[in-house]
Amino acid sequence: MMNYSLWISVIVMSLVWAVGGQLSGDVRLIDTSGLTGGRGAGRLEVYYSGQWGTVCQDGFGPAGALVACRQLGFLGYVVYGIIRSSGDLAASESTPTWLDDLRCNGSESRLDECPQNPTGVHNCDRSDDVALVCAINGVLRLVNPATTWVASSGRLEFFNIDQWETVCDDSFGPNDARVACRQLGYTDYTKYGRVETLGFSQPSNSTRTWLNELRCLGTERILIDCPANTIGVEDCTHTQDVALVCTANGDLRLVGNSGQTGGSSGRLEVYNNEQWGAVCDDRFSPNDARVACRQLGFLTYTRYGTVGTLGFNEISSDSPTWLDELLCLGTESRLVDCPANTIGVEDCTHTQDVALICTANGDLRLVGSSGQTGGSSGRLEVYYNGQWGAVCDDRFGINDARVACRQLEFSTYTQYGTVGTLGFNEILSDSPTWLDELRCSGTESRLINCPANTIGVEDCTHTQDVALMCSSTVPTLSSSNIIPIISIGVTVPIVVIIIIIVIIILFCICIRRHRLAHLPPRTPVVNNATPKAANIQNTAYPMQFMDQNLQYTNQAPPQDMYAPQPVAPYPTGQYADPSYPYPHTESYPSEPQPPALYPAQYLAGGEAPPAYLN
């Protein structure tokens, strides 16, 4: 008996091949030249109703990419993404979008088996079309945790047999980086290095290192063509995994004053035709800054302006200005997708070069009392997970203040304390406190790198919010800044101890002076022997004991009048009595001097003085 079902199948297949060999639900990848690809990369299209159409990104994820690549005969996918509407991969406006809101679980064998909207029902445009790179042996990818879409930077991985493996940095150089980036579809590389050096993570311990000791000439088409150790022969750890930043037209970078790139602030530059150029500030706005920072991998921007305004250098005078009159809406994924003058058409000087400060986790800012930012003093805030939060003053010290001010691009700090102490406002009551129990050594480049509690783990109130005053100049010892130096280099407890010591010293001095002032007067030592007549010439007697002719009377003076009195030193020679303890001195004249106070008759006639003088 004839098998009618078999004959029907043969007839259907014959008709299908007669009209081109396509079945409803088939998929293909269209590359930049419009060819379907044996290279495993391109715009993803699906066949329905005799026409190829695109797949919308809504709901498309890793499971959808895996199913599509397996349906195409590959082992897996490398990356997936969306197509720039102005790029070489863009479909014509007349091309339909067949699939939207795909919800694959990864176990399906064909894309049309995944749950989805009815075929042709969608709310997408050309900027939502999916592009895909499938995995074949020797295919490369860059793994960047910040995105699941096509990345131009990340950990470099190599596909072999059935899994992704890393590349070791032994002998890895500029030629290897250049070949890898060209294989990935980029013009050149921007920089390369170890994963941790460029800020990327290591893979799981089960991941193998597949390529080692690469020695590319720079002319190879793909990395696997370069001389190297036999695949899988290596002596590396995952700390040596290579990370790579590739360069493509429209890529951006921020250039610091010393020429460094890869930071979150600097002069904004765009890459075009193998040359970096500036962006002009004509009509540059918050939306443009927001798009640029997002393209650079940051969440948003903090500040923008000309290079002079933000303290950065102009680009070299012979460099082009690629973008002018930007009018971004804020929703674009790349700055070159924004409305603007044709690339290279501009009327700017390099004093108008745009500089930009983007916001990343761990960034800092100082918020003044009126809410202004960008100054050198204010409430210290740190950015994390899309929100600004406070820093608690628990254990906050000199080293923490130094690190924070350096990160904010100041030379040092002048003061730190709580917001109330320094006269600033607390953060809003519903704002988080991100950092607590900081213990910086002072050598860290970012505050978030210092030992501390886990971010968000704290026991503080906003009265403990840290405020900070930074300075671009290092204070010197002079009469005008002695107080700032004390506040910079000496903590409050040390100042208190010094003050107490000074007070104690002053108190001891006062006590000693008080005691000396109240000591009894010293009693002079006097010889009680009655002085001889010749030795009392300095004793003064009252007038009543003398007559008008300077004769002594017979009346004796009161007893207290002829008591021994202090006497002056006598000269040496015949007038000094060796038995009386008068001091001898060589300052008196050597010739005899007449004794004082005795009347003349007792001197000339040799008559003795009255008896009471004996």
Side-chain angles (χ1 to χ4, degrees):
M1 187 172 60
M2 184 177 290
N3 189 332
Y4 291 102
S5 61
L6 178 60
W7 280 106
I8 292 172
S9 298
V10 170
I11 293 171
V12 169
M13 292 297 295
S14 299
L15 291 173
V16 167
W17 286 107
V19 297
Q22 304 302 324
L23 293 174
S24 181
D26 280 355
V27 293
R28 70 178 183 181
L29 296 172
I30 301 295
D31 65 17
T32 54
S33 61
L35 300 176
T36 57
R39 295 195 301 172
R43 182 179 69 246
L44 179 60
E45 292 188 351
V46 61
Y47 190 80
Y48 277 106
S49 300
Q51 188 176 6
W52 289 98
T54 61
V55 177
C56 181
Q57 67 160 326
D58 294 343
F60 194 91
L66 181 62
V67 171
C69 283
R70 280 209 306 260
Q71 183 177 346
L72 286 163
F74 298 101
L75 296 169
Y77 76 97
V78 180
V79 288
Y80 60 91
I82 54 176
I83 300 169
R84 296 200 302 273
S85 56
S86 59
D88 295 334
L89 278 177
S92 65
E93 288 298 325
S94 61
T95 303
T97 297
W98 287 132
L99 298 182
D100 188 20
D101 285 320
L102 280 163
R103 298 178 295 279
C104 302
N105 61 31
S107 62
E108 299 87 352
S109 59
R110 292 170 57 87
L111 209 58
D112 58 1
E113 294 175 2
C114 300
Q116 58 190 274
N117 285 355
T119 302
V121 177
H122 68 90
N123 59 351
C124 307
D125 57 29
R126 287 283 79 89
S127 63
D128 294 311
D129 291 343
V130 169
L132 188 60
V133 179
C134 294
I136 56 175
N137 285 348
V139 167
L140 303 179
R141 71 176 180 183
L142 295 172
V143 179
N144 187 337
T147 179
T148 58
W149 300 93
V150 178
S152 61
S153 62
R155 183 178 68 245
L156 179 61
E157 292 189 354
F158 169 85
F159 192 82
N160 185 63
I161 303 176
D162 61 351
Q163 62 182 355
W164 291 99
E165 309 293 353
T166 60
V167 177
C168 182
D169 77 331
D170 288 348
S171 299
F172 196 93
N175 285 339
D176 310 305
R178 193 166 288 115
V179 171
C181 283
R182 281 207 307 265
Q183 181 180 342
L184 286 161
Y186 298 101
T187 306
D188 203 349
Y189 77 97
T190 302
K191 55 183 176 177
Y192 65 89
R194 293 186 175 184
V195 283
E196 292 184 356
T197 304
L198 298 190
F200 297 104
S201 60
Q202 300 175 22
S204 63
N205 291 332
S206 61
T207 304
R208 293 176 297 186
T209 299
W210 211 239
L211 288 178
N212 189 25
E213 298 286 348
L214 280 160
R215 299 178 295 279
C216 297
L217 301 175
T219 57
E220 295 86 353
R221 186 177 59 88
I222 58 175
L223 201 63
I224 201 173
D225 290 341
C226 296
N229 284 0
T230 303
I231 290 179
V233 176
E234 48 84 24
D235 56 355
C236 305
T237 66
H238 284 310
T239 60
Q240 297 174 262
D241 290 344
V242 168
L244 197 57
V245 179
C246 296
T247 307
N249 285 345
D251 279 357
L252 303 180
R253 70 179 181 182
L254 295 172
V255 182
N257 280 336
S258 60
Q260 76 279 12
T261 60
S264 60
S265 62
R267 180 181 64 246
L268 180 62
E269 294 185 3
V270 60
Y271 190 81
N272 185 63
N273 285 347
E274 301 185 359
Q275 188 174 9
W276 290 99
V279 177
C280 183
D281 77 329
D282 289 346
R283 304 182 72 166
F284 197 90
S285 70
N287 282 342
D288 308 312
R290 199 169 286 116
V291 171
C293 284
R294 277 206 312 266
Q295 181 180 342
L296 286 162
F298 301 101
L299 296 168
T300 186
Y301 76 97
T302 302
R303 294 174 64 196
Y304 68 88
T306 61
V307 284
T309 303
L310 297 191
F312 294 101
N313 299 327
E314 299 172 11
I315 200 170
S316 61
S317 58
D318 58 347
S319 297
T321 296
W322 287 130
L323 292 179
D324 188 20
E325 300 285 345
L326 280 160
L327 294 169
C328 297
L329 301 175
T331 57
E332 297 87 351
S333 59
R334 290 165 59 87
L335 201 63
V336 292
D337 294 338
C338 297
N341 286 359
T342 302
I343 288 182
V345 176
E346 47 85 23
D347 57 354
C348 306
T349 66
H350 286 314
T351 59
Q352 296 174 265
D353 293 347
V354 168
L356 194 57
I357 300 175
C358 296
T359 307
N361 282 344
D363 279 358
L364 302 179
R365 70 178 181 183
L366 295 172
V367 182
S369 296
S370 59
Q372 76 278 13
T373 59
S376 61
S377 63
R379 181 180 64 248
L380 180 61
E381 293 185 3
V382 60
Y383 190 83
Y384 186 72
N385 278 359
Q387 188 174 8
W388 289 99
V391 177
C392 183
D393 77 329
D394 289 347
R395 301 184 69 167
F396 194 93
I398 292 173
N399 286 336
D400 310 305
R402 284 196 185 109
V403 171
C405 284
R406 279 205 311 268
Q407 182 178 342
L408 288 163
E409 298 188 351
F410 295 99
S411 300
T412 185
Y413 77 97
T414 55
Q415 284 183 278
Y416 66 89
T418 61
V419 284
T421 304
L422 298 189
F424 296 100
N425 300 326
E426 299 172 11
I427 200 170
L428 294 176
S429 58
D430 58 349
S431 298
T433 296
W434 287 131
L435 293 178
D436 188 20
E437 300 285 345
L438 279 160
R439 300 178 297 281
C440 298
S441 67
T443 59
E444 297 86 353
S445 59
R446 289 167 61 83
L447 198 65
I448 202 170
N449 295 337
C450 296
N453 286 359
T454 303
I455 290 182
V457 176
E458 47 84 23
D459 56 354
C460 307
T461 66
H462 286 314
T463 59
Q464 296 174 263
D465 292 348
V466 168
L468 192 58
M469 294 183 180
C470 298
S471 173
S472 294
T473 57
V474 178
T476 57
L477 186 60
S478 68
S479 59
S480 64
N481 59 19
I482 290 176
I483 291 176
I485 289 177
I486 291 175
S487 67
I488 289 172
V490 183
T491 60
V492 172
I494 295 177
V495 172
V496 171
I497 290 171
I498 292 173
I499 292 173
I500 291 173
I501 291 172
V502 171
I503 291 173
I504 291 172
I505 292 172
L506 293 175
F507 179 76
C508 292
I509 292 172
C510 291
I511 291 295
R512 178 172 175 79
R513 287 183 176 178
H514 177 78
R515 287 180 177 176
L516 291 174
H518 289 80
L519 285 175
R522 294 182 179 179
T523 304
V525 178
V526 179
N527 193 322
N528 291 327
T530 302
K532 295 183 179 182
N535 293 332
I536 59 173
Q537 75 268 27
N538 66 332
T539 302
Y541 292 96
M543 292 300 296
Q544 66 265 31
F545 300 111
M546 297 183 182
D547 59 17
Q548 293 181 354
N549 296 318
L550 297 179
Q551 301 290 324
Y552 282 96
T553 66
N554 292 326
Q555 183 181 356
Q559 291 295 319
D560 58 352
M561 294 301 297
Y562 56 86
Q565 301 295 318
V567 295
Y570 281 84
T572 59
Q574 67 269 31
Y575 297 104
D577 185 350
S579 65
Y580 196 81
Y582 293 115
H584 292 261
T585 175
E586 295 180 3
S587 63
Y588 288 94
S590 59
E591 296 296 325
Q593 302 294 323
L597 297 179
Y598 290 101
Q601 68 269 27
Y602 299 115
L603 297 175
E607 185 177 351
Y612 67 83
L613 292 176
N614 297 323

